[in-house]
Amino acid sequence: KQEVTQIPAALSVPEGENLVLNCSFTDSAIYNLQWFRQDPGKGLTSLLLIQSSQREQTSGRLNASLDKSSGRSTLYIAASQPGDSATYLCRAAGNKLTFGGGTRVLVKP
Amino acid sequence: NAGVTQTPKFQVLKTGQSMTLQCAQDMNHNSMYWYRQDPGMGLRLIYYSASEGTTDKGEVPNGYNVSRLNKREFSLRLESAAPSQTSVYFCASTGSGLGNTEAFFGQGTRLTVV
């Protein structure tokens, strides 16, 4: 059974600092891994999708890496801004879709 | 593009009442999903439909039924609501398969059962 873990559950950083969010999964047989952002009371917004054959994906200040052999993905957000405050979730797609519990991020001005 | 649209956005039910949550996508996606999100439990899959005409149970299907009305629409029905079904419900869609492509989510339905 796939288990996806995101540690820490919450993170607070000053504005301008780089953010590093971790996602670990137990079953490396995945099609892809996707990172989402969720604002309070809102739905999930897709940030980046990494196919199993890829090592990383980049979009603006966001960079996500994938290491299937170690069962890890990392989301980097460069030069954080208060608008980056949200909960970030990762989802591993194998035979089932499994979400991590999320990391709640607060970027302080 | 509207993407994935869910209705209603909020609902309060009494125990034992029934209701249907509606979901529609305009991206011509084959696969659609219903999740519930609870504090400390994360997102859990209730049911999914890999393609029009097919539905399958997810992780927590008890107390729910679904209908894939056509390629665009996937509804979730609570026949007899229970307080344990108080949650935020999300509908999602993907191009094909269980996770071969990017997933898009609706804005959610906040359901309270009293």
Side-chain angles (χ1 to χ4, degrees):
Chain A
K1 177 184 175 184
Q2 176 75 279
E3 293 183 2
V4 179
T5 305
Q6 292 183 251
I7 296 173
L11 185 61
S12 179
V13 300
E15 181 177 2
E17 192 167 298
N18 295 333
L19 279 164
V20 180
L21 305 178
N22 299 305
C23 173
S24 61
F25 47 95
T26 56
D27 186 350
S28 62
I30 60 172
Y31 296 114
N32 61 57
L33 190 136
Q34 190 168 1
W35 282 93
F36 296 88
R37 169 187 173 135
Q38 185 176 29
D39 294 290
K42 303 292 185 182
L44 280 70
T45 301
S46 177
L47 296 174
L48 289 168
L49 174 71
I50 313 175
Q51 298 294 348
S52 61
S53 58
Q54 298 175 318
R55 294 297 296 254
E56 65 177 352
Q57 278 286 340
T58 298
S59 176
R61 294 185 294 113
L62 277 61
N63 175 277
S65 65
L66 176 64
D67 184 342
K68 283 179 57 179
S69 61
S70 66
R72 292 181 183 176
S73 178
T74 304
L75 177 66
Y76 300 89
I77 303 177
S80 63
Q81 304 168 358
D84 294 328
S85 298
T87 297
Y88 293 83
L89 296 102
C90 65
R91 182 214 74 183
N95 289 329
K96 295 185 178 181
L97 305 174
T98 308
F99 280 84
T103 296
R104 190 170 64 254
V105 171
L106 176 63
V107 180
K108 297 179 179 178
Chain B
N1 266 346
V4 180
T5 304
Q6 287 182 237
T7 56
K9 292 185 179 178
F10 301 94
Q11 183 71 50
V12 178
L13 289 178
K14 293 182 179 179
T15 298
Q17 286 186 316
S18 62
M19 79 160 295
T20 300
L21 280 64
Q22 306 287 351
C23 175
Q25 51 88 13
D26 62 3
M27 295 172 283
N28 201 34
H29 282 171
N30 288 323
S31 302
M32 298 184 72
Y33 313 82
W34 276 105
Y35 291 89
R36 60 178 290 173
Q37 187 176 36
D38 303 289
M41 302 292 287
L43 275 150
R44 294 180 291 170
L45 183 65
I46 305 171
Y47 270 93
Y48 66 94
S49 171
S51 62
E52 183 180 356
T54 69
T55 61
D56 287 286
K57 295 178 180 179
E59 187 181 352
V60 287
N62 291 344
Y64 306 95
N65 285 301
V66 291
S67 295
R68 184 72 183 269
L69 304 171
N70 47 55
K71 193 171 186 179
R72 288 187 67 248
E73 299 172 291
F74 188 38
S75 62
L76 178 72
R77 183 161 179 83
L78 286 71
E79 291 291 351
S80 179
S84 61
Q85 294 178 304
T86 293
S87 186
V88 181
Y89 291 85
F90 289 101
C91 177
S93 69
T94 63
S96 64
L98 282 179
N100 291 339
T101 60
E102 188 173 6
F104 294 85
F105 279 75
Q107 290 300 296
T109 297
R110 189 172 297 273
L111 175 67
T112 302
V113 183
V114 298

